[in-house]
Amino acid sequence: MAGRDKVLVRVHSECLTGDVFGSRRCDCGSQLHQAMRQIAGAGRGVIVYMRQEGRGIGLAPKIKAYKLQEQGYDTVEANQKLGYDMDLREYGLGAQISLTSASKHPAADEQSEKSRWAGGYGLKIVEQVPIRVKPNPHNEKYLKTKREKLGHLL
């Protein structure tokens, strides 16, 4: 890919329940598969699969957070009730690259979390390409929380 200035990249945080088991409580597996389709359609690209289950809290706490969500808490509130920040993921790859981000996270916003981590590691997001997936009745509250509390573009 030498000499090419734009490469579609999806930085995807592991979600065993969504990516592997197809949980409909989130949109993670759908996002990953859609990103793969978009990269295939572009003819080149990269999936960076980050091993940081449950916004960085791990699988066992994520299952506990699911139980709290069944009691009415949203995903952010559940993580906080368990004593975690709303998002503990770490994105630093330490590379000097320019990328076109395949994301629903507001990476184009200079103040966004992903823009801050990208700039902090010398990464430059030159464009954001949205990942469009259809919501379902099981993940409506989850998606609303991502939009309202985490600033995701849906």
Side-chain angles (χ1 to χ4, degrees):
M1 295 193 193
R4 296 184 180 178
D5 62 344
K6 286 186 181 179
V7 176
L8 188 59
V9 176
R10 167 68 181 168
V11 178
H12 185 85
S13 293
E14 174 184 38
C15 175
L16 183 68
T17 55
D19 299 345
V20 176
F21 299 118
S23 172
R24 295 177 45 89
R25 292 178 68 148
C26 65
D27 61 341
C28 304
S30 299
Q31 282 188 51
L32 177 60
H33 293 162
Q34 180 60 27
M36 287 190 257
R37 285 189 290 275
Q38 287 177 231
I39 287 170
R44 63 190 177 129
V46 177
I47 302 281
V48 179
Y49 195 81
M50 305 293 289
R51 300 289 313 268
Q52 46 192 8
E53 182 72 46
R55 297 195 174 279
I57 68 173
L59 184 58
K62 178 181 174 180
I63 300 302
K64 291 177 184 174
Y66 275 176
K67 189 69 173 168
L68 290 170
Q69 289 170 31
E70 290 170 4
Q71 297 171 17
Y73 294 94
D74 66 35
T75 187
V76 168
E77 294 165 343
N79 284 7
Q80 291 172 330
K81 184 142 177 81
L82 292 171
Y84 299 103
D85 286 337
M86 74 168 76
D87 196 339
L88 294 174
R89 294 177 294 180
E90 185 65 43
Y91 293 99
L93 303 175
Q96 298 288 322
I97 60 174
S98 291
L99 58 96
T100 299
S101 175
S103 176
K104 287 169 56 174
H105 198 285
D109 176 357
E110 294 286 325
Q111 300 303 311
S112 76
E113 182 72 22
K114 283 191 179 178
S115 286
R116 286 193 300 274
W117 69 256
Y121 288 95
L123 302 171
K124 181 181 175 192
I125 298 174
V126 295
E127 180 182 357
Q128 180 184 14
V129 177
I131 296 177
R132 305 261 187 238
V133 295
K134 291 183 180 179
N136 68 66
H138 306 284
N139 67 12
E140 287 175 347
K141 184 175 180 179
Y142 172 79
L143 295 174
K144 180 180 178 189
T145 299
K146 283 178 69 173
R147 182 180 63 248
E148 293 177 0
K149 292 189 175 180
L150 301 170
H152 288 233
L153 306 174
L154 302 177

